[in-house]
């Protein structure tokens, strides 16, 4: 019971922080989708929402939407900018809801492995015009 309370408290802090971080107009437009997906992923691993990772993820989603192509182009650059030793990334497109996006990633062994990687501690999610990027980094 106390462990669940600790997780709930941690998540509440992360949601409050992400709400403040997502207050800019460009990010706020799709904050609900990103926050819901982060909540779903958080249910699988204890991660904190990170402002820089969120910005990097959103920038990549915007670029994918502009090019109308899903890709991991520039992943190495995003990983370097995160100042982390390790980063993983999932991208997606055209899922009707955050739940459907998560189900799609869970059905893919490589994407699911990224979701469950115990070395990651921080996460950022960005969505633009149906294109989604999850960038998670850690030790």
């Amino acid at each position: 019971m106390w462990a669940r309370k600790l997780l709930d408290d941690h998540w509440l802090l992360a949601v409050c922080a992400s709400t403040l971080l997502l207050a800019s107009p460009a990010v706020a437009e799709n904050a609900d989708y990103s926050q819901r997906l982060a909540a779903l992923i958080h249910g699988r691993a204890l991660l904190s929402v990170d402002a820089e990772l969120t910005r990097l993820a959103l920038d990549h989603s915007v670029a994918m939407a502009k090019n109308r192509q899903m890709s991991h182009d520039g992943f190495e650059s995003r990983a370097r900018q995160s100042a982390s030793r390790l980063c993983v990334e999932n991208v997606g497109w055209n899922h009707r809801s955050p739940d459907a996006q998560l189900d799609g990633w869970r059905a893919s062994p490589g994407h699911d492995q990224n979701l469950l990687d115990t070395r990651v501690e921080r996460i950022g999610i960005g969505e633009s015009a149906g294109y989604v990027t999850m960038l998670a980094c850690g030790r």
Side-chain angles (χ1 to χ4, degrees), residues 2-136:
W2 65 268
R4 182 71 232 167
K5 173 85 170 97
L6 180 62
L7 288 175
D8 288 345
D9 289 348
H10 176 78
W11 179 240
L12 179 60
L13 290 172
V15 168
C16 290
S18 67
T19 300
L20 292 172
L21 296 172
L22 297 173
S24 71
V27 179
E29 179 180 321
N30 297 305
D32 290 343
Y33 188 103
S34 297
Q35 287 177 346
R36 175 68 183 139
L37 186 54
L40 291 168
I41 293 169
H42 181 270
R44 303 190 83 200
L46 186 60
L47 301 170
S48 63
V49 176
D50 182 272
E52 181 63 11
L53 297 183
T54 298
R55 183 191 66 76
L56 292 168
L58 180 60
D59 288 351
H60 184 59
S61 292
V62 168
M64 288 191 299
K66 181 180 176 183
N67 294 324
R68 296 179 187 231
Q69 183 174 353
M70 195 169 54
S71 76
H72 289 283
D73 292 350
F75 170 70
E76 294 81 11
S77 176
R78 287 186 293 285
R80 273 192 309 278
Q81 290 177 64
S82 77
S84 298
R85 294 184 60 191
L86 167 91
C87 290
V88 298
E89 180 177 76
N90 287 353
V91 295
W93 175 70
N94 206 27
H95 288 85
R96 69 186 183 287
S97 69
D99 300 84
Q101 178 62 72
L102 182 61
D103 289 344
W105 284 338
R106 290 180 68 193
S108 164
H111 291 100
D112 195 45
Q113 183 178 352
N114 286 346
L115 292 170
L116 297 173
D117 194 323
T118 58
R119 299 170 297 172
V120 299
E121 302 159 326
R122 301 172 296 122
I123 190 170
I125 296 174
E127 188 275 341
S128 178
Y131 290 87
V132 179
T133 304
M134 177 204 84
L135 183 62

